[in-house]
């Protein structure tokens, strides 16, 4: 697809095609897949946090294929160095000079697999790239390709040999999403499809390419957001900071992520304007990982998601304004 402009209706149709093709590989999980795509259309990065074997890696690879993006996967391990991700200068004997050899981060979609299994120094190597879309090595800055997105996976149950992501890094992820276990019918469909393929490998056809995704992202920037909906996002984020269960509430980056993701979600649902229901649909994914619950409440299974649901129930939503 050549570089150009897309209308919002075309972005909605493109989203439908992408989700349809990803669903050929990932059974069920329609709501989670919509959220992942909303995060990408909004220009953000997504953290997939769930138990092993729930198609997180498959979903990331399938989105890269459906969106026509160059895909790289980095398996994060305790011995992984920052240069293994960003790249490094190596000595070229032929020209007798040091040249930069780009790392796997120079791609369209990077899968940071089990990101919480690598030390903070390597985790921090992602911070600049995720926020500034560039890499600095030995004082030299190298821009990353556009679009550039990180889909990271994390295992929430195995803590031995892991390094929990610091709040600063969690805040760089626009959304944190869990897939959950499939229903028995969905799990049987996974088995049935595997037997029908007669191979472990599976791939999906591209619905667009990097230029098409950039055009879709530009189109999402034109979505109408009424002031009352924007204020609703602010009210929700503010309410998390005042909640008695919370040590640290969602930052202004959280309310911004909430608004940006709601715009993309509205387009996926076929609208060129945002309604409060769009905000509610993405609120847990956009805010929960930015909230630190008081330590004494962990035993009561209070989490960031619990706080967001409480806030959604207590903060009045504005009336829907149709543009």
């Amino acid at each position: 697809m050549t570089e150009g402009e897309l209308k919002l209706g075309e972005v909605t149709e493109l989203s439908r095609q992408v989700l349809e093709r990803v669903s050929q590989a990932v059974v069920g999980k329609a709501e989670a897949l919509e959220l992942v795509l909303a995060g990408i259309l909004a220009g953000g990065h997504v953290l997939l946090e769930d138990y092993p074997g729930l198609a997180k890696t498959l979903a990331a690879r399938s989105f890269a294929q459906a969106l026509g993006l160059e895909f790289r996967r980095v398996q994060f391990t305790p011995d992984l160095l920052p240069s293994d991700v960003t790249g490094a200068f190596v000595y070229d004997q032929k020209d007798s000079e040091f040249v930069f050899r780009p790392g796997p981060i120079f791609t369209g979609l990077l899968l940071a697999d089990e990101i919480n299994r690598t030390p903070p120094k390597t985790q921090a190597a992602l911070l600049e790239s995720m926020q500034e879309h560039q890499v600095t090595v030995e004082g030299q800055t190298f821009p990353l390709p556009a679009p550039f997105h990180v889909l990271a996976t994390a295992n929430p149950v195995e803590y031995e040999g892991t390094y929990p992501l610091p709040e600063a890094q969690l805040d760089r992820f626009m959304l944190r999403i869990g897939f959950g276990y499939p229903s028995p019918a969905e799990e049987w469909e996974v088995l049935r499809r595997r037997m029908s393929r007669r191979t472990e490998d599976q791939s999906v056809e591209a619905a667009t390419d990097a230029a098409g995704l950039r055009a879709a992202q530009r189109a999402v920037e034109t979505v109408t957001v009424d002031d009352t909906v924007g204020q609703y996002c602010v009210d929700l984020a503010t309410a998390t900071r005042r909640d008695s269960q919370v040590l640290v509430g969602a930052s202004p980056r959280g309310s911004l992520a909430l608004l940006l993701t709601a715009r993309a979600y509205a387009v996926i649902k076929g609208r060129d304007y945002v309604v409060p229901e769009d905000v509610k649909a993405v609120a847990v994914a956009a805010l929960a990982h930015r909230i630190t619950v008081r330590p004494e409440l962990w035993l009561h299974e209070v989490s960031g998601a619990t706080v967001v649901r409480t806030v959604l129930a207590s903060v009045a939503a504005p009336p829907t304004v149709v543009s």
Side-chain angles (χ1 to χ4, degrees):
M1 182 179 292
T2 58
E3 193 82 29
E5 299 301 324
L6 290 177
K7 297 179 180 178
L8 287 173
E10 294 174 312
V11 179
T12 299
E13 174 59 21
L14 176 60
S15 300
R16 185 194 64 78
Q17 294 178 18
V18 169
L19 291 171
E20 184 179 83
R21 297 183 187 192
V22 171
S23 296
Q24 294 173 3
V26 182
V27 177
K29 314 306 174 195
E31 292 182 4
L33 295 178
E34 285 180 346
L35 288 174
V36 174
L37 180 57
I40 293 174
L41 287 176
H45 311 287
V46 180
L47 176 63
L48 305 176
E49 187 175 88
D50 218 321
Y51 305 119
L54 296 183
K56 300 186 297 295
T57 301
L58 176 61
R61 185 186 301 112
S62 299
F63 268 111
Q65 293 172 345
L67 292 168
L69 300 178
E70 183 183 359
F71 177 73
R72 300 278 183 87
R73 173 184 176 182
V74 177
Q75 186 67 46
F76 280 66
T77 57
D79 60 348
L80 194 73
L81 299 175
S83 59
D84 295 330
V85 179
T86 61
F89 281 92
V90 296
Y91 187 70
D92 186 338
Q93 293 184 339
K94 180 180 179 181
D95 297 329
S96 299
E97 63 179 3
F98 283 93
V99 295
F100 180 69
R101 180 175 295 171
I105 202 169
F106 287 84
T107 188
L109 193 150
L110 176 72
L111 172 59
D113 217 354
E114 296 188 288
I115 190 173
N116 58 336
R117 289 199 176 278
T118 200
K121 186 175 183 180
T122 304
Q123 291 177 3
L126 286 175
L127 284 176
E128 180 186 16
S129 61
M130 292 172 68
Q131 186 66 26
E132 307 295 337
H133 287 201
Q134 64 184 28
V135 167
T136 302
V137 179
E138 296 186 17
Q140 294 193 37
T141 300
F142 302 91
L144 292 169
F148 167 74
H149 297 279
V150 174
L151 292 187
T153 69
N155 185 343
V157 292
E158 291 186 37
Y159 295 107
E160 185 174 351
T162 65
Y163 304 84
L165 292 177
E167 285 74 10
Q169 178 124 14
L170 277 174
D171 208 34
R172 295 306 194 277
F173 287 100
M174 183 168 282
L175 303 174
R176 182 176 66 179
I177 300 168
F179 281 4
Y181 283 110
S183 67
E186 291 171 342
E187 191 163 356
W188 163 239
E189 180 64 14
V190 173
L191 274 59
R192 189 195 65 77
R193 291 187 187 184
R194 173 61 180 86
M195 290 188 293
S196 298
R197 287 198 312 272
R198 299 185 178 182
T199 179
E200 189 66 29
D201 298 331
Q202 56 183 320
S203 61
V204 301
E205 293 183 4
T208 185
D209 57 15
L213 176 58
R214 287 197 296 271
Q217 291 171 334
R218 288 195 298 272
V220 169
E221 292 288 342
T222 67
V223 172
T224 300
V225 182
D226 190 80
D227 289 348
T228 58
V229 175
Q231 186 61 52
Y232 181 49
C233 294
V234 172
D235 292 343
L236 290 173
T238 303
T240 66
R241 303 166 202 158
R242 297 173 178 170
D243 194 288
S244 60
Q245 305 172 102
V246 169
L247 192 62
V248 178
S251 67
R253 185 181 283 136
S255 55
L256 180 60
L258 184 58
L259 181 60
L260 296 180
T261 310
R263 288 195 313 188
Y265 189 82
V267 176
I268 292 173
K269 292 300 185 180
R271 279 179 277 98
D272 59 0
Y273 58 93
V274 180
V275 297
E277 285 67 27
D278 298 322
V279 176
K280 294 176 183 179
V282 304
V284 173
L287 296 180
H289 62 293
R290 308 174 195 274
I291 296 171
T292 303
V293 176
R294 294 187 178 279
E296 62 269 21
L297 297 177
W298 292 348
L299 293 176
H300 299 281
E301 299 184 347
V302 176
S303 65
T306 306
V307 174
V308 175
R309 293 188 184 100
T310 300
V311 165
L312 285 171
S314 62
V315 176
T320 299
V321 177
V322 179
S323 299

